[in-house]
């Protein structure tokens, strides 16, 4: 656990070249103008033109740069030097103005040294963080008065289910211990990772909302979604890039999104 940062940084640095080359991220499509932002994010965040947006745990910047294309003044932060290097080169190649900073998310206020109208984060971000109270306080320190946090995440409910069918409860929703994973692949396909260890932390939806509220933000909504971004379970059916349970099957929430404003 003490080493979680070093271990996870090595894990993410190893994933970057695989992700950049993957169909999942479709960098060629992005360069041609495709936006990877989800329809619900665009609707729920609204117009970003002229607004200062910080993207925490921005990976190699595809989502960050998509907000820049919509007119936001963007800053991306990630602890993976390899990811930030790729983000900077993508921004330069696409001619998009953006600032990218390498830092641990908990050091963001000092590393960035400025505040924002929107703090945007998620879709695989919180599972890397051991302390949500500290994370929410970090977000508050980054927000301008009247600004807001927007979080889109994979729903933790699904982590209880068996990885193949997603129909049996096999894990404890309330386990908050650090989990050490040894796994040869990343989520974009079957390329074998050079570094295969990671440390992850499950957080319940209640933990997330309570940490945000305790930090002084006002929760505007929490929406649960019946679809996700990849074939998390074998039975999910793809349509327009979204993966859902087939019609008629009982559904569970697969993603959620939350917006919370600074006073
Ligand atoms: C699954 S990605 C989420 C990004 C985005 N949803 C995407 O798909 O492009 C998780 C990101 O969190 C970053 N990360 C993990 N722990 C971090 C930490 N403590 N501080 C900053 N970044 C971190 C990783 O480097 C990775 O880029």
């Amino acid at each position: 656990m003490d080493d979680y940062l070093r271990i996870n940084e090595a894990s993410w640095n190893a994933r970057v070249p695989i992700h950049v080359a993957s169909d999942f991220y479709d960098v060629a499509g992005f360069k041609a103008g495709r936006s990877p932002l989800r329809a619900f994010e665009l609707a729920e965040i609204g117009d970003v033109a002229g607004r200062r947006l910080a993207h925490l745990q921005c990976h190699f910047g595809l989502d960050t740069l998509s907000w820049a294309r919509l007119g936001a003044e963007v800053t991306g932060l990630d602890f993976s030097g390899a990811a930030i290097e790729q983000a900077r080169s993508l921004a330069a190649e696409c001619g998009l103005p953006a600032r990218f900073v390498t830092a641990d998310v908990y050091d963001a206020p000092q590393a960035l040294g400025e505040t924002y109208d929107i703090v945007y984060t998620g879709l695989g971000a919180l599972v890397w963080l051991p302390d949500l109270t500290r994370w929410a306080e970090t977000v508050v320190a980054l927000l301008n008065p009247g600004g807001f946090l927007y979080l889109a995440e994979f729903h933790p409910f699904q982590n209880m289910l068996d990885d193949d069918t997603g129909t049996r409860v096999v894990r404890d929703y309330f386990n908050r211990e650090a989990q050490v994973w040894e796994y040869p692949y990343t989520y974009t396909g079957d390329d074998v990772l050079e570094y295969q260890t990671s440390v992850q932390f499950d957080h319940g939806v209640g933990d997330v909302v309570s940490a945000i509220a305790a930090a002084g933000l006002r929760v505007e909504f929490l929406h649960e979604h019946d679809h996700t971004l990849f074939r998390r379970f074998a039975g999910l059916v793809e349509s327009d890039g979204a993966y859902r349970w087939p019609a008629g099957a009982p559904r569970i929430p697969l993603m959620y999104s939350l917006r919370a404003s600074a006073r």
Side-chain angles (χ1 to χ4, degrees), residues 4 8 11-12 15 57 124-130 198-201:
Y4 85 92
N8 287 345
S11 168
W12 278 101
R15 291 171 201 233
Q57 298 176 247
L126 296 187
V127 75
W128 304 102
L129 307 181
S198 66
V199 185
Q200 302 183 28
F201 308 88

Side-chain angles (χ1 to χ4, degrees), residues 21-256:
S22 69
D23 291 343
F24 181 89
Y25 279 104
D26 183 19
V27 172
F30 173 81
K31 287 180 188 168
R34 178 191 70 88
S35 169
L37 297 172
R38 281 54 55 176
F40 67 85
E41 294 180 303
L42 293 164
E44 292 173 348
I45 291 188
D47 187 9
V48 295
R51 308 202 73 187
R52 294 168 52 75
L53 180 149
H55 183 182
L56 301 181
Q57 298 176 247
C58 67
H59 202 27
F60 65 96
L62 280 194
D63 291 354
T64 327
L65 293 171
S66 300
W67 292 116
R69 273 188 180 148
L70 295 173
E73 230 181 273
V74 300
T75 298
L77 175 140
D78 201 285
F79 74 168
S80 160
I84 292 298
E85 202 179 303
Q86 284 292 337
R88 286 182 183 146
S89 91
L90 200 55
E93 193 179 336
C94 297
L96 291 166
R99 177 185 180 211
F100 285 103
V101 175
T102 308
D104 178 14
V105 75
Y106 293 127
D107 295 333
Q110 302 75 36
L112 299 180
E114 52 188 23
T115 53
Y116 300 89
D117 304 316
I118 302 168
V119 171
Y120 167 76
T121 189
L123 292 169
L126 296 187
V127 75
W128 304 102
L129 307 181
D131 184 341
L132 287 186
T133 300
R134 210 174 144 205
W135 166 78
E137 288 166 0
T138 303
V139 169
V140 168
L142 291 169
L143 277 173
N144 290 328
F148 65 86
L149 161 70
Y150 183 85
L151 166 71
E153 260 303 357
F154 298 114
H155 203 293
F157 187 95
Q158 65 197 299
N159 297 342
M160 290 189 301
L161 305 177
D162 72 282
D163 289 323
D164 296 327
T165 68
T167 57
R168 287 178 301 116
V169 177
V170 295
R171 294 190 199 92
D172 179 1
Y173 183 78
F174 296 97
N175 179 17
R176 299 290 177 262
E177 299 295 314
Q179 298 169 38
V180 179
W181 288 80
E182 297 290 342
Y183 192 65
Y185 310 112
T186 176
Y187 51 86
T188 56
D190 52 12
D191 295 285
V192 174
L193 287 165
E194 254 180 57
Y195 188 86
Q196 303 182 354
T197 311
S198 66
V199 185
Q200 302 183 28
F201 308 88
D202 276 345
H203 305 288
V205 172
D207 302 333
V208 176
V209 175
S210 299
I212 288 168
L217 297 179
R218 188 179 69 80
V219 176
E220 296 175 36
F221 59 74
L222 188 160
H223 294 153
E224 293 169 296
H225 305 282
D226 68 353
H227 60 283
T228 189
L229 306 184
F230 60 100
R231 198 176 303 285
R232 175 70 173 80
F233 304 112
L236 297 183
V237 176
E238 193 265 344
S239 166
D240 287 336
Y243 292 79
R244 293 186 161 78
W245 296 102
R251 295 171 294 168
I252 60 159
L254 294 169
M255 293 192 287
Y256 68 94

